[in-house]
Amino acid sequence: MSPLLSGSLFHSSPFNPSSPHAQVISDLFILVLYISAVIFLVVFGSLLYAILRYRGKPGQPDPAQEFGNAKIEIVWTALPFLIVVFLCVFTVKTMYSADPPAKGGDPDLVIIGHQWWWEARYPKSGVVTANEIHIPVGKNFLVRLESADVIHDFWVPQLSRKMDAVPGQVNYIWLQASEAGTYLGACSEYCGAQHAWMRIRVIAQPEAEFEKWQQEQLKVPSKPTTGEVALGAELFERLTCVNCHTISGTIAEANVGPDLTHLASRQTLGAGILENTPSNLARWLANPHAVKPGVLMPNMKLTESEINLLVAYLGTLK
């Protein structure tokens, strides 16, 4: 595991919100925390005072008992009721701000959960990618969530609320980043052996850079004609890789595994388990189960020569 990757996720805290939606959720949590702390201090302080002030002494008779004190009963009933009403109103207001109605609009982004990776489709541009989402800074993206197999839960703590991706059901959330940067998220609903390594990256960038990224993603890779790259492309099409993956401009058009058309432009492999480097890609191809036990990609029993050819080819898909 890369310390860089694991450490980055640790710092992706909901207490460091970077969007209006996450900010209101954080504000609500802080408010509830303060109110709870005050209640705890009042109750615990009163109990401690009573224990110390009215502690029984040897030979002392039992104190007189009081029943039916209307003033005290009104106070300890009304005060919690008012606190609950206040928190209820603030919570409803926060829910509306964090998750306003979609009003039937077309989604800007469709995210589909798979065991154990995320598929991302941009319906308006046609871009398809995996495990890394690009969004323009400041734009409120409507995201439609789906699942291809089991229940997953999409959560990028700094940007939005959590939301389940349920098979046969469509859910929506809003995704927005106030500042440029990379925001890390993960599946937060246990979904199988590699649930912990179902990470997602949201890369927020200025509008012009986002449009440039989309144009790059829409390009069809040129077909290599010479050297190891050409041999790797030929090998890729000859093996069963084409039964699971898509690479635009080739015979590979399957949708079982991630779209690999621009694999080399991504920062990680295996939904975040490895940094995307030639050596790590070779490790993955040699035996994906040694890297990510339980992953659905089979061990192809590739020879070292075949791995080198595939790494040479896949490394050109930027």
Side-chain angles (χ1 to χ4, degrees):
M1 177 194 310
S2 163
L4 174 63
L5 296 177
S6 58
S8 296
L9 187 63
F10 176 78
H11 293 294
S12 297
S13 166
F15 303 115
N16 183 27
S18 295
S19 78
H21 310 304
Q23 183 67 57
V24 293
I25 294 173
S26 177
D27 291 345
L28 175 62
F29 178 85
I30 297 298
L31 175 66
V32 173
L33 183 66
Y34 283 158
I35 292 176
S36 301
V38 170
I39 293 173
F40 173 79
L41 290 176
V42 169
V43 172
F44 183 77
S46 300
L47 180 63
L48 186 62
Y49 174 79
I51 291 174
L52 298 177
R53 174 68 177 81
Y54 300 105
R55 185 177 183 181
K57 298 179 176 58
Q60 186 179 34
D62 291 340
Q65 302 296 308
E66 291 187 19
F67 299 96
N69 191 319
K71 290 183 179 177
I72 293 178
E73 292 181 1
I74 289 174
V75 169
W76 71 36
T77 301
L79 190 58
F81 175 76
L82 292 176
I83 293 174
V84 170
V85 170
F86 172 75
L87 288 177
C88 181
V89 171
F90 203 84
T91 300
V92 171
K93 181 182 176 183
T94 298
M95 290 170 64
Y96 186 84
S97 300
D99 189 25
K103 297 181 179 178
D106 294 329
D108 300 291
L109 177 62
V110 177
I111 297 177
I112 305 169
H114 299 255
Q115 286 181 314
W116 292 276
W117 59 283
W118 299 98
E119 177 183 354
R121 294 180 173 271
Y122 295 75
K124 296 175 182 175
S125 65
V127 168
V128 179
T129 185
N131 303 318
E132 292 182 10
I133 300 169
H134 288 243
I135 62 173
V137 172
K139 183 173 180 180
N140 207 10
F141 253 41
L142 179 60
V143 181
R144 189 174 75 202
L145 291 172
E146 302 175 10
S147 172
D149 37 50
V150 300
I151 297 177
H152 302 281
D153 192 289
F154 179 85
W155 190 30
V156 183
Q158 290 181 272
L159 302 185
S160 70
R161 58 168 296 188
K162 297 166 61 177
M163 179 59 79
D164 281 350
V166 182
Q169 178 177 321
V170 172
N171 288 331
Y172 291 88
I173 61 168
W174 293 97
L175 198 63
Q176 180 178 347
S178 302
E179 298 178 356
T182 299
Y183 302 93
L184 304 185
C187 178
S188 56
E189 177 77 27
Y190 181 73
C191 57
Q194 284 299 331
H195 158 71
W197 280 111
M198 191 171 168
R199 306 286 174 84
I200 192 163
R201 291 176 168 237
V202 178
I203 299 168
Q205 51 199 156
E207 179 82 28
E209 291 183 18
F210 171 71
E211 292 300 332
K212 182 180 178 183
W213 173 81
Q214 285 204 118
Q215 294 306 314
E216 292 293 327
Q217 295 293 305
L218 289 171
K219 291 180 179 176
V220 177
S222 58
K223 188 175 180 62
T225 56
T226 59
E228 286 191 334
V229 177
L231 293 174
E234 180 184 338
L235 180 63
F236 183 88
E237 295 193 10
R238 183 154 38 90
L239 296 173
T240 56
C241 310
V242 296
N243 294 335
C244 293
H245 298 284
T246 289
I247 294 180
S248 297
T250 73
I251 63 172
E253 297 179 339
N255 191 34
V256 177
D259 188 306
L260 302 180
T261 303
H262 297 284
L263 172 68
S265 69
R266 298 172 196 158
Q267 299 175 3
T268 65
L269 300 169
I273 200 166
L274 291 174
E275 292 180 81
N276 191 0
T277 65
S279 60
N280 283 338
L281 180 56
R283 281 181 58 197
W284 179 266
L285 293 172
N287 185 2
H289 290 263
V291 178
K292 193 172 181 176
V295 67
L296 301 185
M297 178 173 168
N299 183 349
M300 303 294 292
K301 309 292 185 183
L302 300 169
T303 66
E304 184 174 346
S305 174
E306 290 174 327
I307 291 171
N308 290 336
L309 292 177
L310 289 174
V311 169
Y313 169 54
L314 296 174
T316 65
L317 302 178
K318 297 182 178 179

